[in-house]
Amino acid sequence: MNNHPQDNEEAPSSFSDLSRQVTASATTITGTVVVVDRVHQNTPFSPEKNEPGTVKKASDRPTFDLEPITIGEALETTAISVADKPVDSNDAAAIQAAERRATGGVEDRRCGRLGATAQAAASFNARAAQDVTKITIFDVLSDAASKLSQDKAVTSEDAEEVRGAELRSRPEAFAMPGGVADTMAKAARVNIQDDTA
């Protein structure tokens, strides 16, 4: 018999008891479901036990200081959202605009220069014969945050400039769902909501 510290604690008698003690909320950001679990106080799984009859005030609950979403993180989200999409000139323009906004226009030759890489990928893809050989969004934007010499939180101004760059030569008047401009806009909205919460 294993003697674990939790063996002395009362465990839920069924899954339904456990499900009353744990709640989950989910939100969808750019097609990716993000689940947040919360374990309620007074459960055998909670590290802190309340004495019977004690009342916890809302101010006693732990708070989380969430960092705003950065441009690099938004680009990495795009890499996941539309991973297999071949890079085109609209994507390259949006990536270049995002990099300019993140770095304040400062070029750092030691980094991979994300915008230049995206432009080279778009040029290559325009000449490539088959999708199999094309360079994808994932190829360019995976690990984007580490490829930027500087990074900053996404603002609505950043999102608008990136959207303008992506749409400049696109015949459709909307940003590609899950693409750079769309993801930046969603990140800016999340950051604004976090600031007001």
Side-chain angles (χ1 to χ4, degrees):
M1 179 171 155
N2 293 335
N3 191 9
H4 297 287
Q6 64 266 32
D7 288 344
N8 297 331
E9 296 176 322
E10 183 180 316
S13 60
S14 70
F15 178 75
S16 62
D17 289 343
L18 178 61
S19 66
R20 281 192 287 268
Q21 297 168 350
V22 179
T23 59
S25 62
T27 185
T28 303
I29 300 174
T30 316
T32 303
V33 177
V34 179
V35 178
V36 178
D37 293 330
R38 291 182 182 89
V39 179
H40 298 287
Q41 298 293 329
N42 269 340
T43 69
F45 302 97
S46 176
E48 178 184 334
K49 294 289 233 173
N50 292 330
E51 292 299 318
T54 61
V55 177
K56 285 238 176 208
K57 298 180 287 191
S59 61
D60 294 338
R61 293 185 187 148
T63 58
F64 300 96
D65 184 21
L66 299 177
E67 295 293 321
I69 300 168
T70 66
I71 292 174
E73 291 167 335
L75 293 174
E76 288 176 355
T77 301
T78 303
I80 295 167
S81 298
V82 291
D84 294 333
K85 180 190 180 298
V87 179
D88 63 23
S89 60
N90 298 315
D91 300 320
I95 293 166
Q96 288 171 330
E99 181 180 40
R100 262 193 318 278
R101 295 296 296 195
T103 62
V106 176
E107 289 187 23
D108 187 349
R109 301 208 186 278
R110 293 172 294 163
C111 293
R113 298 240 7 254
L114 218 44
T117 303
Q119 186 57 55
S123 296
F124 174 83
N125 288 346
R127 293 187 306 268
Q130 298 176 354
D131 281 349
V132 182
T133 60
K134 292 189 177 184
I135 301 168
T136 66
I137 293 283
F138 183 82
D139 296 329
V140 174
L141 293 181
S142 64
D143 209 18
S146 68
K147 295 175 184 173
L148 293 170
S149 61
Q150 297 175 17
D151 204 355
K152 70 181 210 65
V154 180
T155 65
S156 54
E157 292 82 14
D158 299 328
E160 195 54 42
E161 184 171 322
V162 170
R163 184 178 190 280
E166 184 175 305
L167 297 181
R168 210 163 278 127
S169 61
R170 186 178 296 247
E172 305 90 29
F174 60 90
M176 182 186 70
V180 176
D182 183 48
T183 305
M184 290 277 291
K186 289 176 181 175
R189 281 194 298 272
V190 168
N191 287 348
I192 289 169
Q193 288 171 355
D194 285 349
D195 284 345
T196 60

PDB file of all heavy atoms in Angstrom, residues 82-121:
ATOM      1  N   VAL A  82      -2.553  29.395 -39.352  1.00  0.00           N
ATOM      2  CA  VAL A  82      -2.551  29.166 -40.802  1.00  0.00           C
ATOM      3  C   VAL A  82      -1.212  28.552 -41.222  1.00  0.00           C
ATOM      4  O   VAL A  82      -0.603  28.975 -42.201  1.00  0.00           O
ATOM      5  CB  VAL A  82      -2.856  30.466 -41.589  1.00  0.00           C
ATOM      6  CG1 VAL A  82      -4.297  30.890 -41.393  1.00  0.00           C
ATOM      7  CG2 VAL A  82      -1.920  31.589 -41.196  1.00  0.00           C
ATOM      8  N   ALA A  83      -0.790  27.569 -40.481  1.00  0.00           N
ATOM      9  CA  ALA A  83       0.552  26.987 -40.607  1.00  0.00           C
ATOM     10  C   ALA A  83       0.926  26.593 -42.036  1.00  0.00           C
ATOM     11  O   ALA A  83       2.034  26.873 -42.484  1.00  0.00           O
ATOM     12  CB  ALA A  83       0.677  25.770 -39.692  1.00  0.00           C
ATOM     13  N   ASP A  84       0.025  25.950 -42.753  1.00  0.00           N
ATOM     14  CA  ASP A  84       0.355  25.395 -44.067  1.00  0.00           C
ATOM     15  C   ASP A  84       0.128  26.360 -45.231  1.00  0.00           C
ATOM     16  O   ASP A  84       0.359  26.001 -46.384  1.00  0.00           O
ATOM     17  CB  ASP A  84      -0.455  24.119 -44.309  1.00  0.00           C
ATOM     18  CG  ASP A  84      -0.062  23.007 -43.348  1.00  0.00           C
ATOM     19  OD1 ASP A  84       1.098  23.002 -42.888  1.00  0.00           O
ATOM     20  OD2 ASP A  84      -0.918  22.157 -43.040  1.00  0.00           O
ATOM     21  N   LYS A  85      -0.308  27.582 -44.937  1.00  0.00           N
ATOM     22  CA  LYS A  85      -0.547  28.541 -46.012  1.00  0.00           C
ATOM     23  C   LYS A  85       0.789  29.032 -46.565  1.00  0.00           C
ATOM     24  O   LYS A  85       1.644  29.496 -45.823  1.00  0.00           O
ATOM     25  CB  LYS A  85      -1.345  29.730 -45.481  1.00  0.00           C
ATOM     26  CG  LYS A  85      -1.633  30.756 -46.567  1.00  0.00           C
ATOM     27  CD  LYS A  85      -2.194  32.023 -45.985  1.00  0.00           C
ATOM     28  CE  LYS A  85      -2.466  33.034 -47.066  1.00  0.00           C
ATOM     29  NZ  LYS A  85      -1.285  33.469 -47.803  1.00  0.00           N
ATOM     30  N   PRO A  86       0.969  28.932 -47.879  1.00  0.00           N
ATOM     31  CA  PRO A  86       2.198  29.478 -48.469  1.00  0.00           C
ATOM     32  C   PRO A  86       2.248  30.996 -48.287  1.00  0.00           C
ATOM     33  O   PRO A  86       1.235  31.688 -48.415  1.00  0.00           O
ATOM     34  CB  PRO A  86       2.084  29.103 -49.950  1.00  0.00           C
ATOM     35  CG  PRO A  86       1.119  27.971 -49.998  1.00  0.00           C
ATOM     36  CD  PRO A  86       0.156  28.228 -48.873  1.00  0.00           C
ATOM     37  N   VAL A  87       3.404  31.523 -47.992  1.00  0.00           N
ATOM     38  CA  VAL A  87       3.581  32.965 -47.810  1.00  0.00           C
ATOM     39  C   VAL A  87       3.396  33.664 -49.149  1.00  0.00           C
ATOM     40  O   VAL A  87       3.991  33.263 -50.153  1.00  0.00           O
ATOM     41  CB  VAL A  87       4.991  33.280 -47.251  1.00  0.00           C
ATOM     42  CG1 VAL A  87       5.179  34.787 -47.085  1.00  0.00           C
ATOM     43  CG2 VAL A  87       5.230  32.560 -45.933  1.00  0.00           C
ATOM     44  N   ASP A  88       2.558  34.702 -49.170  1.00  0.00           N
ATOM     45  CA  ASP A  88       2.404  35.505 -50.389  1.00  0.00           C
ATOM     46  C   ASP A  88       2.821  36.945 -50.079  1.00  0.00           C
ATOM     47  O   ASP A  88       3.222  37.266 -48.955  1.00  0.00           O
ATOM     48  CB  ASP A  88       0.972  35.418 -50.945  1.00  0.00           C
ATOM     49  CG  ASP A  88      -0.096  35.973 -50.010  1.00  0.00           C
ATOM     50  OD1 ASP A  88       0.217  36.816 -49.137  1.00  0.00           O
ATOM     51  OD2 ASP A  88      -1.271  35.567 -50.148  1.00  0.00           O
ATOM     52  N   SER A  89       2.731  37.803 -51.068  1.00  0.00           N
ATOM     53  CA  SER A  89       3.214  39.176 -50.896  1.00  0.00           C
ATOM     54  C   SER A  89       2.411  39.937 -49.845  1.00  0.00           C
ATOM     55  O   SER A  89       2.956  40.803 -49.153  1.00  0.00           O
ATOM     56  CB  SER A  89       3.192  39.920 -52.234  1.00  0.00           C
ATOM     57  OG  SER A  89       1.875  39.967 -52.737  1.00  0.00           O
ATOM     58  N   ASN A  90       1.116  39.619 -49.706  1.00  0.00           N
ATOM     59  CA  ASN A  90       0.296  40.281 -48.681  1.00  0.00           C
ATOM     60  C   ASN A  90       0.765  39.883 -47.282  1.00  0.00           C
ATOM     61  O   ASN A  90       0.832  40.721 -46.377  1.00  0.00           O
ATOM     62  CB  ASN A  90      -1.178  39.915 -48.852  1.00  0.00           C
ATOM     63  CG  ASN A  90      -1.716  40.375 -50.186  1.00  0.00           C
ATOM     64  OD1 ASN A  90      -1.474  41.491 -50.608  1.00  0.00           O
ATOM     65  ND2 ASN A  90      -2.425  39.497 -50.867  1.00  0.00           N
ATOM     66  N   ASP A  91       1.059  38.600 -47.106  1.00  0.00           N
ATOM     67  CA  ASP A  91       1.575  38.128 -45.812  1.00  0.00           C
ATOM     68  C   ASP A  91       2.907  38.815 -45.510  1.00  0.00           C
ATOM     69  O   ASP A  91       3.141  39.267 -44.385  1.00  0.00           O
ATOM     70  CB  ASP A  91       1.790  36.610 -45.830  1.00  0.00           C
ATOM     71  CG  ASP A  91       0.523  35.831 -46.108  1.00  0.00           C
ATOM     72  OD1 ASP A  91      -0.546  36.211 -45.583  1.00  0.00           O
ATOM     73  OD2 ASP A  91       0.603  34.834 -46.859  1.00  0.00           O
ATOM     74  N   ALA A  92       3.771  38.873 -46.502  1.00  0.00           N
ATOM     75  CA  ALA A  92       5.093  39.478 -46.317  1.00  0.00           C
ATOM     76  C   ALA A  92       4.963  40.944 -45.916  1.00  0.00           C
ATOM     77  O   ALA A  92       5.658  41.409 -44.999  1.00  0.00           O
ATOM     78  CB  ALA A  92       5.929  39.345 -47.594  1.00  0.00           C
ATOM     79  N   ALA A  93       4.048  41.669 -46.569  1.00  0.00           N
ATOM     80  CA  ALA A  93       3.844  43.083 -46.229  1.00  0.00           C
ATOM     81  C   ALA A  93       3.349  43.230 -44.792  1.00  0.00           C
ATOM     82  O   ALA A  93       3.806  44.109 -44.052  1.00  0.00           O
ATOM     83  CB  ALA A  93       2.855  43.718 -47.201  1.00  0.00           C
ATOM     84  N   ALA A  94       2.434  42.354 -44.377  1.00  0.00           N
ATOM     85  CA  ALA A  94       1.905  42.403 -43.014  1.00  0.00           C
ATOM     86  C   ALA A  94       2.986  42.061 -41.993  1.00  0.00           C
ATOM     87  O   ALA A  94       3.097  42.709 -40.942  1.00  0.00           O
ATOM     88  CB  ALA A  94       0.724  41.449 -42.879  1.00  0.00           C
ATOM     89  N   ILE A  95       3.799  41.071 -42.290  1.00  0.00           N
ATOM     90  CA  ILE A  95       4.886  40.668 -41.382  1.00  0.00           C
ATOM     91  C   ILE A  95       5.916  41.793 -41.261  1.00  0.00           C
ATOM     92  O   ILE A  95       6.404  42.102 -40.169  1.00  0.00           O
ATOM     93  CB  ILE A  95       5.523  39.343 -41.850  1.00  0.00           C
ATOM     94  CG1 ILE A  95       4.521  38.197 -41.695  1.00  0.00           C
ATOM     95  CG2 ILE A  95       6.809  39.045 -41.082  1.00  0.00           C
ATOM     96  CD1 ILE A  95       4.893  36.918 -42.415  1.00  0.00           C
ATOM     97  N   GLN A  96       6.241  42.424 -42.395  1.00  0.00           N
ATOM     98  CA  GLN A  96       7.180  43.547 -42.368  1.00  0.00           C
ATOM     99  C   GLN A  96       6.638  44.695 -41.512  1.00  0.00           C
ATOM    100  O   GLN A  96       7.373  45.294 -40.724  1.00  0.00           O
ATOM    101  CB  GLN A  96       7.474  44.033 -43.790  1.00  0.00           C
ATOM    102  CG  GLN A  96       8.341  43.074 -44.574  1.00  0.00           C
ATOM    103  CD  GLN A  96       8.457  43.455 -46.039  1.00  0.00           C
ATOM    104  OE1 GLN A  96       7.551  44.047 -46.616  1.00  0.00           O
ATOM    105  NE2 GLN A  96       9.583  43.098 -46.639  1.00  0.00           N
ATOM    106  N   ALA A  97       5.345  44.985 -41.659  1.00  0.00           N
ATOM    107  CA  ALA A  97       4.730  46.056 -40.872  1.00  0.00           C
ATOM    108  C   ALA A  97       4.732  45.699 -39.386  1.00  0.00           C
ATOM    109  O   ALA A  97       5.027  46.555 -38.542  1.00  0.00           O
ATOM    110  CB  ALA A  97       3.303  46.318 -41.355  1.00  0.00           C
ATOM    111  N   ALA A  98       4.439  44.451 -39.068  1.00  0.00           N
ATOM    112  CA  ALA A  98       4.441  44.003 -37.667  1.00  0.00           C
ATOM    113  C   ALA A  98       5.842  44.119 -37.073  1.00  0.00           C
ATOM    114  O   ALA A  98       6.009  44.582 -35.939  1.00  0.00           O
ATOM    115  CB  ALA A  98       3.924  42.572 -37.572  1.00  0.00           C
ATOM    116  N   GLU A  99       6.856  43.722 -37.852  1.00  0.00           N
ATOM    117  CA  GLU A  99       8.230  43.813 -37.362  1.00  0.00           C
ATOM    118  C   GLU A  99       8.622  45.280 -37.128  1.00  0.00           C
ATOM    119  O   GLU A  99       9.243  45.612 -36.110  1.00  0.00           O
ATOM    120  CB  GLU A  99       9.190  43.162 -38.353  1.00  0.00           C
ATOM    121  CG  GLU A  99      10.645  43.202 -37.885  1.00  0.00           C
ATOM    122  CD  GLU A  99      11.596  42.553 -38.873  1.00  0.00           C
ATOM    123  OE1 GLU A  99      11.429  42.742 -40.098  1.00  0.00           O
ATOM    124  OE2 GLU A  99      12.516  41.863 -38.409  1.00  0.00           O
ATOM    125  N   ARG A 100       8.239  46.152 -38.045  1.00  0.00           N
ATOM    126  CA  ARG A 100       8.533  47.583 -37.882  1.00  0.00           C
ATOM    127  C   ARG A 100       7.896  48.128 -36.606  1.00  0.00           C
ATOM    128  O   ARG A 100       8.510  48.882 -35.861  1.00  0.00           O
ATOM    129  CB  ARG A 100       8.004  48.380 -39.085  1.00  0.00           C
ATOM    130  CG  ARG A 100       9.034  48.707 -40.129  1.00  0.00           C
ATOM    131  CD  ARG A 100       8.539  49.744 -41.137  1.00  0.00           C
ATOM    132  NE  ARG A 100       7.169  49.584 -41.589  1.00  0.00           N
ATOM    133  CZ  ARG A 100       6.790  48.747 -42.564  1.00  0.00           C
ATOM    134  NH1 ARG A 100       7.670  47.997 -43.186  1.00  0.00           N
ATOM    135  NH2 ARG A 100       5.528  48.675 -42.919  1.00  0.00           N
ATOM    136  N   ARG A 101       6.645  47.737 -36.351  1.00  0.00           N
ATOM    137  CA  ARG A 101       5.937  48.208 -35.159  1.00  0.00           C
ATOM    138  C   ARG A 101       6.589  47.660 -33.884  1.00  0.00           C
ATOM    139  O   ARG A 101       6.708  48.376 -32.892  1.00  0.00           O
ATOM    140  CB  ARG A 101       4.465  47.808 -35.206  1.00  0.00           C
ATOM    141  CG  ARG A 101       3.654  48.457 -36.317  1.00  0.00           C
ATOM    142  CD  ARG A 101       3.540  49.934 -36.220  1.00  0.00           C
ATOM    143  NE  ARG A 101       2.812  50.348 -35.033  1.00  0.00           N
ATOM    144  CZ  ARG A 101       2.322  51.559 -34.849  1.00  0.00           C
ATOM    145  NH1 ARG A 101       2.475  52.498 -35.769  1.00  0.00           N
ATOM    146  NH2 ARG A 101       1.696  51.871 -33.744  1.00  0.00           N
ATOM    147  N   ALA A 102       7.007  46.398 -33.927  1.00  0.00           N
ATOM    148  CA  ALA A 102       7.615  45.774 -32.737  1.00  0.00           C
ATOM    149  C   ALA A 102       8.946  46.408 -32.390  1.00  0.00           C
ATOM    150  O   ALA A 102       9.263  46.622 -31.223  1.00  0.00           O
ATOM    151  CB  ALA A 102       7.788  44.273 -32.958  1.00  0.00           C
ATOM    152  N   THR A 103       9.721  46.711 -33.399  1.00  0.00           N
ATOM    153  CA  THR A 103      11.087  47.194 -33.171  1.00  0.00           C
ATOM    154  C   THR A 103      11.197  48.715 -33.222  1.00  0.00           C
ATOM    155  O   THR A 103      12.285  49.252 -33.044  1.00  0.00           O
ATOM    156  CB  THR A 103      12.055  46.602 -34.213  1.00  0.00           C
ATOM    157  OG1 THR A 103      11.660  47.048 -35.519  1.00  0.00           O
ATOM    158  CG2 THR A 103      12.067  45.083 -34.158  1.00  0.00           C
ATOM    159  N   GLY A 104      10.104  49.385 -33.497  1.00  0.00           N
ATOM    160  CA  GLY A 104      10.156  50.834 -33.624  1.00  0.00           C
ATOM    161  C   GLY A 104      10.909  51.264 -34.864  1.00  0.00           C
ATOM    162  O   GLY A 104      11.454  52.354 -34.930  1.00  0.00           O
ATOM    163  N   GLY A 105      10.980  50.387 -35.859  1.00  0.00           N
ATOM    164  CA  GLY A 105      11.677  50.685 -37.107  1.00  0.00           C
ATOM    165  C   GLY A 105      13.172  50.423 -37.056  1.00  0.00           C
ATOM    166  O   GLY A 105      13.867  50.636 -38.037  1.00  0.00           O
ATOM    167  N   VAL A 106      13.667  49.941 -35.916  1.00  0.00           N
ATOM    168  CA  VAL A 106      15.100  49.672 -35.766  1.00  0.00           C
ATOM    169  C   VAL A 106      15.438  48.339 -36.423  1.00  0.00           C
ATOM    170  O   VAL A 106      14.792  47.332 -36.165  1.00  0.00           O
ATOM    171  CB  VAL A 106      15.488  49.611 -34.261  1.00  0.00           C
ATOM    172  CG1 VAL A 106      16.940  49.229 -34.091  1.00  0.00           C
ATOM    173  CG2 VAL A 106      15.189  50.933 -33.600  1.00  0.00           C
ATOM    174  N   GLU A 107      16.429  48.339 -37.281  1.00  0.00           N
ATOM    175  CA  GLU A 107      16.879  47.100 -37.920  1.00  0.00           C
ATOM    176  C   GLU A 107      18.070  46.549 -37.155  1.00  0.00           C
ATOM    177  O   GLU A 107      18.996  47.268 -36.828  1.00  0.00           O
ATOM    178  CB  GLU A 107      17.274  47.352 -39.374  1.00  0.00           C
ATOM    179  CG  GLU A 107      16.093  47.631 -40.269  1.00  0.00           C
ATOM    180  CD  GLU A 107      16.503  47.717 -41.730  1.00  0.00           C
ATOM    181  OE1 GLU A 107      17.544  47.159 -42.107  1.00  0.00           O
ATOM    182  OE2 GLU A 107      15.766  48.345 -42.491  1.00  0.00           O
ATOM    183  N   ASP A 108      18.016  45.264 -36.875  1.00  0.00           N
ATOM    184  CA  ASP A 108      19.116  44.602 -36.176  1.00  0.00           C
ATOM    185  C   ASP A 108      19.605  43.466 -37.062  1.00  0.00           C
ATOM    186  O   ASP A 108      18.921  42.472 -37.232  1.00  0.00           O
ATOM    187  CB  ASP A 108      18.642  44.074 -34.821  1.00  0.00           C
ATOM    188  CG  ASP A 108      19.773  43.522 -33.984  1.00  0.00           C
ATOM    189  OD1 ASP A 108      20.889  43.357 -34.521  1.00  0.00           O
ATOM    190  OD2 ASP A 108      19.544  43.268 -32.786  1.00  0.00           O
ATOM    191  N   ARG A 109      20.749  43.596 -37.629  1.00  0.00           N
ATOM    192  CA  ARG A 109      21.265  42.609 -38.584  1.00  0.00           C
ATOM    193  C   ARG A 109      21.629  41.287 -37.926  1.00  0.00           C
ATOM    194  O   ARG A 109      21.778  40.287 -38.594  1.00  0.00           O
ATOM    195  CB  ARG A 109      22.463  43.177 -39.326  1.00  0.00           C
ATOM    196  CG  ARG A 109      22.097  44.452 -40.071  1.00  0.00           C
ATOM    197  CD  ARG A 109      22.969  44.655 -41.285  1.00  0.00           C
ATOM    198  NE  ARG A 109      22.704  45.940 -41.906  1.00  0.00           N
ATOM    199  CZ  ARG A 109      21.698  46.166 -42.735  1.00  0.00           C
ATOM    200  NH1 ARG A 109      20.856  45.230 -43.020  1.00  0.00           N
ATOM    201  NH2 ARG A 109      21.543  47.357 -43.276  1.00  0.00           N
ATOM    202  N   ARG A 110      21.769  41.275 -36.590  1.00  0.00           N
ATOM    203  CA  ARG A 110      22.088  40.014 -35.910  1.00  0.00           C
ATOM    204  C   ARG A 110      20.893  39.077 -35.892  1.00  0.00           C
ATOM    205  O   ARG A 110      21.038  37.876 -35.791  1.00  0.00           O
ATOM    206  CB  ARG A 110      22.533  40.285 -34.466  1.00  0.00           C
ATOM    207  CG  ARG A 110      23.864  41.011 -34.394  1.00  0.00           C
ATOM    208  CD  ARG A 110      24.135  41.421 -32.989  1.00  0.00           C
ATOM    209  NE  ARG A 110      23.130  42.418 -32.595  1.00  0.00           N
ATOM    210  CZ  ARG A 110      22.859  42.772 -31.362  1.00  0.00           C
ATOM    211  NH1 ARG A 110      23.486  42.223 -30.364  1.00  0.00           N
ATOM    212  NH2 ARG A 110      21.956  43.680 -31.094  1.00  0.00           N
ATOM    213  N   CYS A 111      19.679  39.637 -35.962  1.00  0.00           N
ATOM    214  CA  CYS A 111      18.477  38.805 -35.953  1.00  0.00           C
ATOM    215  C   CYS A 111      18.162  38.354 -37.367  1.00  0.00           C
ATOM    216  O   CYS A 111      18.723  38.837 -38.330  1.00  0.00           O
ATOM    217  CB  CYS A 111      17.305  39.576 -35.370  1.00  0.00           C
ATOM    218  SG  CYS A 111      17.528  39.918 -33.626  1.00  0.00           S
ATOM    219  N   GLY A 112      17.214  37.445 -37.481  1.00  0.00           N
ATOM    220  CA  GLY A 112      16.857  36.879 -38.772  1.00  0.00           C
ATOM    221  C   GLY A 112      16.100  37.814 -39.676  1.00  0.00           C
ATOM    222  O   GLY A 112      15.843  37.489 -40.826  1.00  0.00           O
ATOM    223  N   ARG A 113      15.757  38.998 -39.177  1.00  0.00           N
ATOM    224  CA  ARG A 113      14.976  39.945 -39.965  1.00  0.00           C
ATOM    225  C   ARG A 113      13.763  39.268 -40.555  1.00  0.00           C
ATOM    226  O   ARG A 113      13.743  38.854 -41.699  1.00  0.00           O
ATOM    227  CB  ARG A 113      15.821  40.619 -41.036  1.00  0.00           C
ATOM    228  CG  ARG A 113      16.952  41.430 -40.495  1.00  0.00           C
ATOM    229  CD  ARG A 113      16.985  42.910 -40.823  1.00  0.00           C
ATOM    230  NE  ARG A 113      15.874  43.505 -41.502  1.00  0.00           N
ATOM    231  CZ  ARG A 113      15.882  43.874 -42.791  1.00  0.00           C
ATOM    232  NH1 ARG A 113      16.931  43.659 -43.540  1.00  0.00           N
ATOM    233  NH2 ARG A 113      14.840  44.448 -43.309  1.00  0.00           N
ATOM    234  N   LEU A 114      12.765  39.137 -39.756  1.00  0.00           N
ATOM    235  CA  LEU A 114      11.532  38.444 -40.096  1.00  0.00           C
ATOM    236  C   LEU A 114      10.900  38.956 -41.388  1.00  0.00           C
ATOM    237  O   LEU A 114      10.482  38.175 -42.240  1.00  0.00           O
ATOM    238  CB  LEU A 114      10.563  38.634 -38.934  1.00  0.00           C
ATOM    239  CG  LEU A 114       9.667  37.513 -38.506  1.00  0.00           C
ATOM    240  CD1 LEU A 114      10.365  36.188 -38.444  1.00  0.00           C
ATOM    241  CD2 LEU A 114       9.018  37.840 -37.194  1.00  0.00           C
ATOM    242  N   GLY A 115      10.833  40.277 -41.542  1.00  0.00           N
ATOM    243  CA  GLY A 115      10.228  40.860 -42.737  1.00  0.00           C
ATOM    244  C   GLY A 115      10.974  40.493 -44.007  1.00  0.00           C
ATOM    245  O   GLY A 115      10.368  40.168 -45.034  1.00  0.00           O
ATOM    246  N   ALA A 116      12.296  40.525 -43.954  1.00  0.00           N
ATOM    247  CA  ALA A 116      13.106  40.161 -45.121  1.00  0.00           C
ATOM    248  C   ALA A 116      12.943  38.683 -45.448  1.00  0.00           C
ATOM    249  O   ALA A 116      12.860  38.303 -46.627  1.00  0.00           O
ATOM    250  CB  ALA A 116      14.573  40.492 -44.870  1.00  0.00           C
ATOM    251  N   THR A 117      12.881  37.866 -44.419  1.00  0.00           N
ATOM    252  CA  THR A 117      12.667  36.428 -44.629  1.00  0.00           C
ATOM    253  C   THR A 117      11.307  36.190 -45.275  1.00  0.00           C
ATOM    254  O   THR A 117      11.183  35.384 -46.203  1.00  0.00           O
ATOM    255  CB  THR A 117      12.762  35.667 -43.288  1.00  0.00           C
ATOM    256  OG1 THR A 117      14.032  35.931 -42.698  1.00  0.00           O
ATOM    257  CG2 THR A 117      12.581  34.180 -43.476  1.00  0.00           C
ATOM    258  N   ALA A 118      10.284  36.902 -44.797  1.00  0.00           N
ATOM    259  CA  ALA A 118       8.941  36.760 -45.364  1.00  0.00           C
ATOM    260  C   ALA A 118       8.906  37.209 -46.822  1.00  0.00           C
ATOM    261  O   ALA A 118       8.275  36.561 -47.677  1.00  0.00           O
ATOM    262  CB  ALA A 118       7.946  37.558 -44.533  1.00  0.00           C
ATOM    263  N   GLN A 119       9.587  38.307 -47.128  1.00  0.00           N
ATOM    264  CA  GLN A 119       9.616  38.806 -48.509  1.00  0.00           C
ATOM    265  C   GLN A 119      10.331  37.821 -49.427  1.00  0.00           C
ATOM    266  O   GLN A 119       9.872  37.557 -50.546  1.00  0.00           O
ATOM    267  CB  GLN A 119      10.288  40.177 -48.579  1.00  0.00           C
ATOM    268  CG  GLN A 119      10.218  40.817 -49.943  1.00  0.00           C
ATOM    269  CD  GLN A 119       8.779  40.972 -50.425  1.00  0.00           C
ATOM    270  OE1 GLN A 119       7.954  41.566 -49.732  1.00  0.00           O
ATOM    271  NE2 GLN A 119       8.480  40.442 -51.592  1.00  0.00           N
ATOM    272  N   ALA A 120      11.445  37.253 -48.958  1.00  0.00           N
ATOM    273  CA  ALA A 120      12.163  36.249 -49.755  1.00  0.00           C
ATOM    274  C   ALA A 120      11.293  35.015 -49.973  1.00  0.00           C
ATOM    275  O   ALA A 120      11.271  34.445 -51.074  1.00  0.00           O
ATOM    276  CB  ALA A 120      13.470  35.872 -49.061  1.00  0.00           C
ATOM    277  N   ALA A 121      10.547  34.614 -48.938  1.00  0.00           N
ATOM    278  CA  ALA A 121       9.652  33.455 -49.061  1.00  0.00           C
ATOM    279  C   ALA A 121       8.540  33.727 -50.075  1.00  0.00           C
ATOM    280  O   ALA A 121       8.220  32.874 -50.912  1.00  0.00           O
ATOM    281  CB  ALA A 121       9.053  33.111 -47.701  1.00  0.00           C
TER     282      ALA A 121
END
